[in-house]
Amino acid sequence: MKRILVALALTFVAGFAFAADENPLPKPDVLTEETVYTSQRLSAVYDTIIIRDLTAEGAELSNLDSEEMTKLEAMKPLLVRTITDSIEMELKLNKLFKTIQKNTQPKGKAVILEGAFTEFNAGNRAVRFWVGFGAGKTYLKVKGRLIDAESGKELATFEDRETGYRGTMTLENFADLFPHQAKSLGENIVKFIQKLY
């Protein structure tokens, strides 16, 4: 019995020592919600990033009538492509990672960026006009994660909501705003990645 207790105590101490060494990088404070698990800068470990297209299926649809839902369904491929292209362009502009690939199988030391749209909110133009103060705003929400391609280990997770590009004050409809907001989301995600790089 004494041996079992000593073994358990050593296991606990070893586990505590391991956990104490795990000191994740600070949160970048760029996106709405962020969790960072890695303690190493991405630039110290990875030379490649693989951008996987965000999925758009299963997202919450808010403030859309049946005609608008049809229009949104037709827009989804454009929004997915816009956010992916925005991420790729911003990574290149900021000279992050030696190799940037889209939707490929990882080779070597690669980090994978994957995610999904979680809400398409068309807002309400009348409420924006008559109430103001951000009521009735049009926005997109996404969530995603960075994972180590070799082990599948999560390095960081995030969620973000984009109401920018006149989304809180304009009388433009969602079809005009969503493409600009998707581009902004890509830019925001790269700011998050850059702080971990």
Side-chain angles (χ1 to χ4, degrees):
M1 182 69 169
K2 195 174 189 180
R3 286 185 187 161
I4 294 172
L5 290 175
V6 170
L8 285 173
L10 288 174
T11 303
F12 175 76
V13 170
F16 180 75
F18 177 74
D21 287 343
E22 258 326 288
N23 193 10
L25 296 170
K27 288 200 284 185
D29 289 326
V30 174
L31 306 175
T32 308
E33 290 184 33
E34 305 167 341
T35 305
V36 178
Y37 302 107
T38 184
S39 59
Q40 294 185 303
R41 293 256 164 228
L42 299 178
S43 59
V45 182
Y46 305 101
D47 59 6
T48 301
I49 186 166
I50 310 238
I51 308 163
R52 291 195 176 146
D53 286 340
L54 273 69
T55 61
E57 301 312 312
E60 181 181 339
L61 306 176
S62 304
N63 298 311
L64 292 156
D65 61 29
S66 58
E67 184 181 320
E68 291 171 326
M69 283 189 189
T70 303
K71 193 179 230 182
L72 175 62
E73 284 304 315
M75 284 185 73
K76 281 182 180 178
L78 167 71
L79 299 176
V80 169
R81 193 169 50 252
T82 299
I83 196 169
T84 300
D85 289 347
S86 176
I87 291 168
E88 180 185 30
M89 182 181 73
E90 290 298 315
L91 287 168
K92 287 178 179 178
L93 285 173
N94 289 287
K95 297 180 171 54
L96 304 178
F97 299 98
K98 181 180 173 186
T99 306
I100 300 167
Q101 299 174 343
K102 295 190 287 190
N103 302 311
T104 61
Q105 287 300 317
K107 294 177 184 150
K109 285 307 230 174
V111 62
I112 297 171
L113 170 64
E114 62 182 20
F117 286 94
T118 57
E119 186 177 358
F120 295 95
N121 190 321
N124 185 308
R125 289 188 279 181
V127 171
R128 283 198 300 271
F129 180 77
W130 292 107
V131 177
F133 303 106
K137 60 189 159 198
T138 300
Y139 63 84
L140 294 175
K141 281 174 94 172
V142 296
K143 69 177 180 179
R145 63 188 188 149
L146 296 169
I147 57 176
D148 179 276
E150 197 171 70
S151 68
K153 178 183 170 188
E154 276 190 345
L155 306 171
T157 61
F158 61 85
E159 290 186 36
D160 199 26
R161 181 173 89 164
E162 181 57 63
T163 58
Y165 191 73
R166 303 189 307 246
T168 58
M169 302 297 286
T170 185
L171 294 182
E172 292 176 275
N173 69 19
F174 75 92
D176 297 321
L177 295 171
F178 279 175
H180 297 285
Q181 292 175 344
K183 182 178 182 297
S184 292
L185 281 166
E187 293 166 355
N188 296 343
I189 291 167
V190 173
K191 287 176 188 168
F192 171 76
I193 293 170
Q194 186 172 24
K195 296 242 179 158
L196 299 176
Y197 191 74

